[in-house]
Amino acid sequence: MPMMNSFVPRRMQPWIYLCIAIIFQLTGLLYMGSMSQMAGEMNLMREDILMITFCNVVGVNMPFPFLFRMKFRFTNRQLLLNAAIIIAICNIIAIHTTFVPLLCLLSYIAGYFKLCGTFECASNIQLWMTPKRDFRIFFPLLYIIVLGDISLSSFLSGELTYISGSWKMMNILIIGLLLIVILFVYTCTHNFRFMKPMLFISLDWLGCLLWSALMIEIIFLFNYGEYYNWTDGAVWRIVAFSFPITLILCIGRMLNIHHPFIAPECFCYKKLFPLLGMFVVAEMINATGNTLFTPFASGVLGYGYLTQAHFNFVAWLGTVCGCLFTFWWLNILKQKYTRLLTVGILGMLVYLAYMYFIISPDINIEKLYLPIILRNAGYAIFFTTLTVYLEELMPFQHFFMGLTITGFIRNGVCDSICSGCFSHGLKYHILDNINRWSWIYPFDPAQTLMVSIKQMFGYCCMFGTILLLFFMLWDIQPIRSTVKKIPYWNIVGKAMRKAMRRR
């Protein structure tokens, strides 16, 4: 790692960058583990906090097509310092304002530089993780951090809120960690270039903003759908009318400039759309954790935010198990992708069936740990396997654009759609059960909520069973007989220079 100063022990260098990547992945703006405290103190609705969080997820998804251009233009020291400073500033402002549009903007910016910092760390320790540049090794290990820190940040925010009595303590912790990163990078690294800096031109920033606006519009429609009573709300109708206009602008710009944010060729791979459909399936089942499991734990069992923070730690254990299982399956057993996807969907299906049969108002908390582990392990297996398959499907020059395309589904959009649909379905069943059975069975509100949640789990379980049968009958072979290796960064840079000269 030539950007490190000589006094830093060589064996410690990759471990330090691994810790920095973990810190970047822990960052955010508002943390879901302390949602109730934020809503009360900041006088915000649940939908507002979710919208701010979704903007962070959208920001994480958008830098992929620009990452190598940034790497070839700026040094490692510059990228890490800028990312850490900007995220720290966003967190400082966030604890002093309650203006939702500003928080959404700050959340988007923080998410954007969160990915930039994580990529810069991961790209420098990639050869340490897999000397052969094998994505079947790299992605399972990387997603222990990427997926695991989602649950870990919620766990830490819940614990810190309980200990300190303020939701701001998590932001203060993140600011402190980022200051440590800034101090280390400033004192222990120097500017090093492995190639001549590339001009920072031919980047479709307007396309990036248009695709971001498209994702945010979709998220807004489904996140605030229940609040505005869907089409009855004037604001909801305005956003719904703006959505097709933004989509037309995105497609038109993609087809009419020579350096689009997402190349049209990326949509020409025949197996891309079935892969996107599988991401939809994974996100749909995983969304039941927030829209069905959380209301059951809080509304029926009466668990507070501290107990639910412990559930996030259990979810982190499930994610780690799923990623390690994927690593073992792909690199030790060397089995087919379809069988691994079947294992992943089976884990999520067992979670749905388990929850359907054990839901009751007097269940022990220990019985809830296993379904949480199964859900997150199955999701991690599904997520990691599909990402590896995407790398096999698309050439390297389109792969990072493909990550953005799949991110349209898995980074906020599908989650908000599923959450909106599940919330609407849950509301419908609550009202239906009250109207249909209240004159026979004198249910209290908690019992009505429990029965409605059980019905929703039942529908998801039937849908998951159909998908499991589909995967058991479907056979996906790898795209090629030998695993495609990642090219060296200087080779990627030379190819990008040639493309810029042709333009």
Side-chain angles (χ1 to χ4, degrees):
M1 303 182 70
M3 76 289 296
M4 288 279 194
N5 291 335
S6 58
F7 59 82
V8 181
R10 186 172 181 179
R11 290 183 179 273
M12 293 295 298
Q13 292 176 5
W15 289 104
I16 293 172
Y17 266 48
L18 180 64
C19 293
I20 295 176
I22 294 174
I23 292 173
F24 274 119
Q25 281 299 307
L26 284 175
T27 60
L29 204 72
L30 301 183
Y31 301 90
M32 302 304 293
S34 53
M35 178 188 290
S36 58
Q37 285 68 32
M38 287 187 292
E41 186 173 335
M42 301 174 71
N43 195 24
L44 297 178
M45 301 185 300
R46 175 180 176 273
E47 289 82 1
D48 293 331
I49 297 175
L50 287 176
M51 190 68 200
I52 296 168
T53 305
F54 282 136
C55 286
N56 184 267
V57 178
V58 173
V60 169
N61 184 57
M62 304 316 291
F64 283 111
F66 299 154
L67 288 176
F68 279 104
R69 294 297 300 275
M70 293 180 182
K71 187 175 182 65
F72 299 149
R73 177 63 180 87
F74 304 103
T75 64
N76 172 264
R77 175 187 173 91
Q78 292 171 336
L79 289 171
L80 291 182
L81 281 176
N82 289 334
I85 291 172
I86 291 173
I87 298 174
I89 292 174
C90 290
N91 275 268
I92 292 173
I93 299 175
I95 60 179
H96 292 94
T97 183
T98 59
F99 186 50
V100 175
L102 177 60
L103 288 172
C104 288
L105 177 61
L106 292 173
S107 185
Y108 178 89
I109 295 172
Y112 194 97
F113 285 95
K114 169 183 178 178
L115 181 66
C116 293
T118 304
F119 173 79
E120 186 58 28
C121 292
S123 62
N124 281 283
I125 61 175
Q126 187 185 68
L127 286 174
W128 173 67
M129 297 170 69
T130 166
K132 295 183 179 180
R133 293 176 176 259
D134 187 350
F135 267 156
R136 295 183 303 180
I137 298 174
F138 180 67
F139 273 132
L141 298 179
L142 178 65
Y143 280 138
I144 292 178
I145 301 174
V146 174
L147 297 179
D149 279 11
I150 296 175
S151 302
L152 197 59
S153 63
S154 297
F155 166 72
L156 289 175
S157 62
E159 290 288 336
L160 290 175
T161 301
Y162 175 77
I163 294 172
S164 65
S166 174
W167 62 270
K168 297 179 182 179
M169 188 54 63
M170 183 63 182
N171 296 78
I172 295 173
L173 173 65
I174 293 299
I175 294 169
L177 292 175
L178 290 173
L179 290 177
I180 294 174
V181 171
I182 294 170
L183 180 63
F184 171 81
V185 175
Y186 187 78
T187 58
C188 299
T189 66
H190 59 274
N191 288 316
F192 171 81
R193 296 186 184 275
F194 62 91
M195 61 182 297
K196 184 179 178 181
M198 186 178 294
L199 295 177
F200 212 50
I201 58 175
S202 299
L203 296 175
D204 187 15
W205 295 106
L206 180 57
C208 176
L209 292 177
L210 286 173
W211 285 107
S212 300
L214 184 71
M215 292 182 66
I216 291 174
E217 286 171 354
I218 298 174
I219 291 171
F220 183 93
L221 291 175
F222 287 91
N223 183 53
Y224 286 98
E226 285 293 317
Y227 175 75
Y228 287 109
N229 200 19
W230 302 97
T231 56
D232 290 340
V235 176
W236 195 93
R237 291 197 300 267
I238 293 173
V239 177
F241 178 76
S242 303
F243 167 72
I245 298 176
T246 308
L247 179 61
I248 292 172
L249 292 175
C250 290
I251 297 175
R253 184 168 181 83
M254 179 180 66
L255 297 176
N256 290 287
I257 66 172
H258 63 276
H259 56 278
F261 179 70
I262 297 177
E265 295 81 8
C266 295
F267 295 95
C268 297
Y269 298 96
K270 294 182 179 179
K271 295 186 178 181
L272 175 65
F273 291 98
L275 185 140
L276 295 179
M278 289 185 281
F279 270 116
V280 171
V281 171
E283 292 296 332
M284 186 204 72
I285 298 177
N286 190 58
T288 59
N290 293 325
T291 56
L292 298 181
F293 182 85
T294 300
F296 171 69
S298 59
V300 178
L301 301 180
Y303 292 150
Y305 68 91
L306 182 61
T307 304
Q308 296 191 47
H310 296 163
F311 288 150
N312 288 317
F313 181 76
V314 176
W316 175 78
L317 293 177
T319 300
V320 173
C321 292
C323 291
L324 292 178
F325 182 85
T326 305
F327 177 87
W328 174 71
W329 185 281
L330 294 178
N331 297 282
I332 306 301
L333 296 183
K334 299 185 184 298
Q335 293 291 319
K336 295 180 180 179
Y337 295 148
T338 311
R339 295 173 183 172
L340 184 55
L341 291 173
T342 304
V343 173
I345 196 70
L346 180 62
M348 291 188 283
L349 177 60
V350 172
Y351 151 74
L352 294 173
Y354 194 96
M355 288 301 301
Y356 177 80
F357 287 108
I358 68 170
I359 284 181
S360 66
D362 56 350
I363 185 175
N364 294 329
I365 189 173
E366 291 81 7
K367 292 184 178 179
L368 297 175
Y369 293 156
L370 179 59
I372 294 174
I373 291 175
L374 290 174
R375 184 192 73 212
N376 285 272
Y379 179 74
I381 292 171
F382 219 79
F383 193 97
T384 308
T385 306
L386 291 179
T387 307
V388 174
Y389 190 73
L390 178 68
E391 191 273 337
E392 293 290 315
L393 173 66
M394 307 181 79
F396 190 79
Q397 62 268 28
H398 291 157
F399 171 62
F400 281 80
M401 294 181 182
L403 288 177
T404 297
I405 294 173
T406 57
F408 292 158
I409 292 176
R410 56 183 171 82
N411 282 18
V413 171
C414 191
D415 191 15
S416 63
I417 293 175
C418 293
S419 298
C421 293
F422 283 146
S423 298
H424 182 74
L426 188 60
K427 179 181 177 181
Y428 168 81
H429 281 292
I430 290 174
L431 296 176
D432 181 69
N433 289 328
I434 292 174
N435 294 329
R436 182 176 299 183
W437 303 110
S438 60
W439 63 281
I440 300 176
Y441 301 105
F443 288 160
D444 59 28
Q447 290 174 321
T448 305
L449 177 62
M450 182 188 68
V451 173
S452 303
I453 292 174
K454 189 181 183 74
Q455 289 173 315
M456 293 296 295
F457 270 118
Y459 294 142
C460 294
C461 187
M462 289 187 290
F463 180 70
T465 303
I466 295 173
L467 291 174
L468 177 63
L469 295 175
F470 172 75
F471 279 111
M472 292 176 68
L473 296 173
W474 192 29
D475 189 26
I476 304 177
Q477 293 288 352
I479 302 299
R480 53 186 60 81
S481 58
T482 58
V483 177
K484 182 174 61 178
K485 300 297 190 300
I486 310 171
Y488 289 95
W489 301 149
N490 56 351
I491 297 176
V492 176
K494 291 178 182 178
M496 296 179 73
R497 286 183 185 278
K498 291 180 180 178
M500 291 176 63
R501 293 193 189 101
R502 288 196 299 269
R503 292 169 184 167

